[in-house]
């Protein structure tokens, strides 16, 4: 087998040194063809998913569509469609090949999308407008959707640019996005810029020009060790006085910025077009980036209908969003029906201990280590709860509460995109970036995203199709009813 091994080794070298995603994808396909993974893809049976259920569902949809029966298609889809039907989204299925999955699973997903196209385009003498609207509303709600969560990470946060650059170039950006601390800057850029505008804004040159001097030493004895003026001026130039509602009306993206209270007895807040439509994005991002001790906490601002700028949540100041809500998945689930997450994680407190692999442990030792980790986390939270009650000093109590919040958080999602180990360097966290360091971080973000693009496309294809058609139907309804304020419909199907 020397020839076979040499060919695989050559392909693996191409994978390691690919200059763009197309080159990487072609190498993955070649590797799967040579390694035998393609044979695995072609065989329906597999213990990791219910292939009989999926095969039968495909057959039923094909028969209904061949009969031109939109009503039957709606019934088939509405009766049991969800993102992990028959365990088709199991992480174990990804490990058998470098790209793609079982052909039957891909056929099922494509058949569902074709069925949705058919229903939307059905003659309204057979499936009337309000039947379509009801179907897409109910099915989209039941199916759920994906979100993209961008963690904190200070100087490492420019890694997110590479992640979202890869997703944006392939029209795979979810419409629900959250950002904390450094991640809030990139999330706000996604919320205020269209697809084409992002192509320029996510370049290394643009990022460097805006953030080359974000760290300016202020000195001891001040509210923060660093002067926030350079960062504030950059955020103003990027986002001006745009509110969350105005951003949503422009891009159709539901962008959330998380902030943490600078005092006790307050919970973290998620600022977005639903919870705080009139809040100004610039101040929200500035607050989310206010790492304690490094930057001073921030008073939020809002815009009145008359255009006046006024305090938002007066008498309260807010700080670094990653302290208490680095990845606010549960609250995004309540607000937007999210049930699947894509995480770009650069938080220096979490990344060294994380793996992008979410496959459940297969060995007794693996299960034991996971269980012991959960026990250690629970015991640590208990210890900090006791300590917080025993301490009387307000400042110490607040510090203990923040540390507890950091420990208590979940730092991973369904799909995790992490920096390479050599970029998990604490020295970059608080350093002013160079053009070269930003280029490296963006390139690292792109390369870390490439192995996940096929999975993301597969996992979001149905939900984004549902949302696209639902938004189109609601826009049409608003026009018929004469409503002036129309919801933006992102070009998700490009």
């Amino acid at each position: 087998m020397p020839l076979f091994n040499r060919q695989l080794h050559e392909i693996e070298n191409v994978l390691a040194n690919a200059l763009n995603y197309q080159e990487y994808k072609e190498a993955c396909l070649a590797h799967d063809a040579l390694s035998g993974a393609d044979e695995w893809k072609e065989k329906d049976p597999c213990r990791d998913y219910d292939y009989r259920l999926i095969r039968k569902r495909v057959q039923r949809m094909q028969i209904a569509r061949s009969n031109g029966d939109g009503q039957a298609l709606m019934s088939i889809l509405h009766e049991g469609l969800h993102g992990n039907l028959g365990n088709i989204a199991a992480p174990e299925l990804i490990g058998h090949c470098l790209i793609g999955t079982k052909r039957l699973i891909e056929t099922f997903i494509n058949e569902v999308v074709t069925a949705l196209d058919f229903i939307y385009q059905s003659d309204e003498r057979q499936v009337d407008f309000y039947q379509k609207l009801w179907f897409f509303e109910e099915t989209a709600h039941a199916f759920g959707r994906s979100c993209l969560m961008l963690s904190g990470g200070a100087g490492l946060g420019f890694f997110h640019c590479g992640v979202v650059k890869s997703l944006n170039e392939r029209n795979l950006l979810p419409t629900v996005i959250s950002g904390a601390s450094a991640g809030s800057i990139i999330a706000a850029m996604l919320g205020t810029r269209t697809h084409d505008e992002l192509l320029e804004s996510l370049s290394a040159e643009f990022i460097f020009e805006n953030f080359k001097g974000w760290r300016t030493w202020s000195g001891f004895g001040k509210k923060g060790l660093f002067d926030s003026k350079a960062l504030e001026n950059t955020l103003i130039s990027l986002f001006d006085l745009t509110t969350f509602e105005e951003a949503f009306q422009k891009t159709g993206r539901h962008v959330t910025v998380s902030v943490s209270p600078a005092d006790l007895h307050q919970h973290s807040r998620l600022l977005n077009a639903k919870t705080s439509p009139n809040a100004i994005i610039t101040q929200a991002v500035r607050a989310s980036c206010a790492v304690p001790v490094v930057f001073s906490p921030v008073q939020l601002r809002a815009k009145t209908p008359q255009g006046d700028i006024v305090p938002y949540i007066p008498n309260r100041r807010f700080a670094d969003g990653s302290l208490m809500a680095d990845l606010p998945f549960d609250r995004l689930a309540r607000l937007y029906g999210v049930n699947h997450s894509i995480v770009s994680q650069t938080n220096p407190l979490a990344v060294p201990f994380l793996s992008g692999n979410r496959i459940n442990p297969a060995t007794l030792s693996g299960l034991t280590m996971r269980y012991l980790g959960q026990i250690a986390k629970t015991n640590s939270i208990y210890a900090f709860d006791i300590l917080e009650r025993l301490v009387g000093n307000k400042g110490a109590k607040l510090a203990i509460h923040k540390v507890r919040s950091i420990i208590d958080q979940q730092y991973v999602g369904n799909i995790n995109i992490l920096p390479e180990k050599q970029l998990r360097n604490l020295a970059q966290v608080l350093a002013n970036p160079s053009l070269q360091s930003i280029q490296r971080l963006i390139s690292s973000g792109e390369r870390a995203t490439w192995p996940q693009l096929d999975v993301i496309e597969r996992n979001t294809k149905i939900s984004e199709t549902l949302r696209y058609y639902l938004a189109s139907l609601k826009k049409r309804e608003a026009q018929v009813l004469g409503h002036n304020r129309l919801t933006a419909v992102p070009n998700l199907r490009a």
Side-chain angles (χ1 to χ4, degrees):
M1 303 286 287
L3 177 61
F4 173 78
N5 290 335
R6 188 174 73 248
Q7 288 175 319
L8 277 180
H9 182 67
E10 290 173 354
I11 294 172
E12 287 163 2
N13 282 335
V14 174
L15 285 169
N17 298 290
L19 298 178
N20 53 60
Y21 178 65
Q22 187 59 38
E23 188 176 325
Y24 174 86
K25 181 178 178 181
E26 289 173 0
C28 286
L29 291 169
H31 192 283
D32 283 354
L34 195 60
S35 68
D38 280 355
E39 296 175 13
W40 174 85
K41 295 176 189 178
E42 295 295 339
K43 296 176 182 177
D44 293 351
C46 178
R47 65 181 181 181
D48 293 325
Y49 78 115
D50 189 343
Y51 69 92
R52 294 183 180 87
L53 172 65
I54 301 304
R55 184 190 288 164
K56 184 65 176 178
R57 194 59 61 92
V58 168
Q59 291 170 350
R60 291 179 64 196
M61 286 188 288
Q62 289 174 338
I63 291 170
R65 189 160 54 82
S66 66
N67 292 334
D69 194 342
Q71 296 284 356
L73 275 176
M74 288 194 296
S75 177
I76 293 167
L77 292 177
H78 198 63
E79 72 183 22
L81 181 64
H82 60 83
N84 197 22
L85 181 69
N87 209 35
I88 62 174
E92 290 79 6
L93 287 166
I94 301 170
H96 294 280
C97 51
L98 293 184
I99 194 167
T101 186
K102 289 287 187 181
R103 301 290 185 216
L104 177 61
I105 294 175
E106 294 176 346
T107 299
F108 168 74
I109 292 171
N110 290 331
E111 191 63 42
V112 170
V113 171
T114 301
L116 294 175
D117 295 340
F118 185 92
I119 293 166
Y120 178 79
Q121 295 166 9
S122 291
D123 189 324
E124 293 190 356
R125 289 172 295 184
Q126 298 177 5
V127 182
D128 69 40
F129 172 81
Y130 283 101
Q131 279 184 299
K132 293 180 183 179
L133 182 60
W134 171 86
F135 166 79
F136 281 101
E137 278 185 332
E138 293 297 315
T139 309
H141 177 73
F143 189 85
R145 66 203 303 187
S146 296
C147 67
L148 172 65
M149 296 189 287
L150 310 175
S151 77
L156 291 175
F158 299 120
F159 172 87
H160 298 316
C161 293
V163 175
V164 299
K165 183 171 181 282
S166 288
L167 295 174
N168 182 61
E169 287 174 350
R170 290 158 190 83
N171 292 295
L172 292 177
L173 276 173
T175 51
V176 177
I177 300 160
S178 76
S181 197
S184 71
I185 298 174
I186 311 305
M189 290 176 67
L190 296 178
T192 56
R193 284 161 171 73
T194 63
H195 174 278
D196 291 341
E197 290 170 341
L198 283 171
L199 296 177
E200 175 187 354
S201 299
L202 294 173
S203 69
E205 292 75 17
F206 182 90
I207 297 296
F208 174 69
E209 190 60 35
N210 281 280
F211 292 97
K212 58 186 176 183
W214 73 272
R215 189 197 74 163
T216 304
W217 180 255
S218 179
F220 296 105
K222 305 291 182 66
K223 291 182 178 180
L225 294 178
F226 293 165
D227 188 344
S228 63
K229 288 181 181 177
L231 177 60
E232 288 175 351
N233 289 337
T234 292
L235 297 178
I236 290 169
S237 69
L238 289 174
F239 311 123
D240 198 22
L241 297 176
T242 305
T243 66
F244 283 95
E245 174 66 19
E246 290 168 345
F248 174 71
Q249 290 298 322
K250 176 181 178 180
T251 66
R253 298 192 183 102
H254 302 277
V255 169
T256 290
V257 171
S258 60
V259 295
S260 300
D263 51 10
L264 282 169
H265 311 303
Q266 294 289 318
H267 297 286
S268 61
R269 290 181 178 267
L270 301 189
L271 306 174
N272 52 50
K274 282 183 178 287
T275 63
S276 45
N278 298 321
I280 294 173
I281 290 177
T282 295
Q283 291 302 105
V285 173
R286 167 66 181 87
S288 192
C289 291
V291 180
V293 182
V294 177
F295 288 124
S296 59
V298 176
Q299 163 72 68
L300 300 176
R301 302 285 178 181
K303 187 191 296 184
T304 68
Q306 293 74 34
D308 298 323
I309 308 304
V310 297
Y312 185 75
I313 315 177
N315 304 320
R316 295 290 180 192
R317 296 190 180 277
F318 294 87
D320 192 342
S322 66
L323 288 176
M324 300 179 73
D326 198 44
L327 306 177
F329 179 78
D330 288 343
R331 281 186 283 174
L332 291 178
R334 290 196 296 271
L335 285 167
Y336 297 111
V338 164
N339 58 3
H340 178 268
S341 59
I342 303 160
V343 171
S344 179
Q345 179 57 269
T346 60
N347 192 318
L349 298 175
V351 166
F353 309 102
L354 300 179
S355 168
N357 193 339
R358 286 297 302 273
I359 296 176
N360 292 324
T363 65
L364 183 60
S365 61
L367 288 169
T368 301
M369 290 302 297
R370 184 176 69 174
Y371 180 65
L372 289 175
Q374 292 170 345
I375 291 176
K377 178 176 180 177
T378 301
N379 287 342
S380 298
I381 293 169
Y382 172 72
F384 277 103
D385 283 342
I386 295 296
L387 192 59
E388 186 178 340
R389 288 180 178 272
L390 294 176
V391 170
N393 180 272
K394 184 178 179 181
K397 191 183 286 286
L398 179 61
I400 292 168
H401 185 71
K402 299 299 186 189
V403 173
R404 181 206 184 278
S405 297
I406 292 171
I407 295 172
D408 194 29
Q409 293 188 59
Q410 178 73 24
Y411 290 99
V412 294
N414 298 102
I415 296 174
N416 300 290
I417 304 171
L418 309 176
E420 298 171 2
K421 290 183 179 179
Q422 62 266 33
L423 290 175
R424 305 179 187 188
N425 188 342
L426 291 178
Q428 298 186 56
V429 173
L430 295 178
N432 275 326
S434 65
L435 178 59
Q436 291 73 25
S437 70
I438 291 177
Q439 287 172 334
R440 284 197 301 272
L441 282 166
I442 292 177
S443 176
S444 176
E446 289 183 279
R447 295 189 63 84
T449 308
W450 291 347
Q452 306 290 354
L453 286 174
D454 180 70
V455 182
I456 292 170
E457 181 175 14
R458 199 160 55 244
N459 288 358
T460 60
K461 195 170 188 177
I462 294 174
S463 63
E464 294 301 333
T465 302
L466 283 165
R467 298 282 170 178
Y468 175 81
Y469 282 141
L470 176 58
S472 297
L473 289 167
K474 285 189 171 182
K475 183 175 182 179
R476 180 179 159 196
E477 181 186 40
Q479 291 170 334
V480 170
L481 295 175
H483 294 172
N484 293 323
R485 283 182 80 191
L486 301 179
T487 300
V489 181
N491 189 21
L492 304 174
R493 304 268 288 167

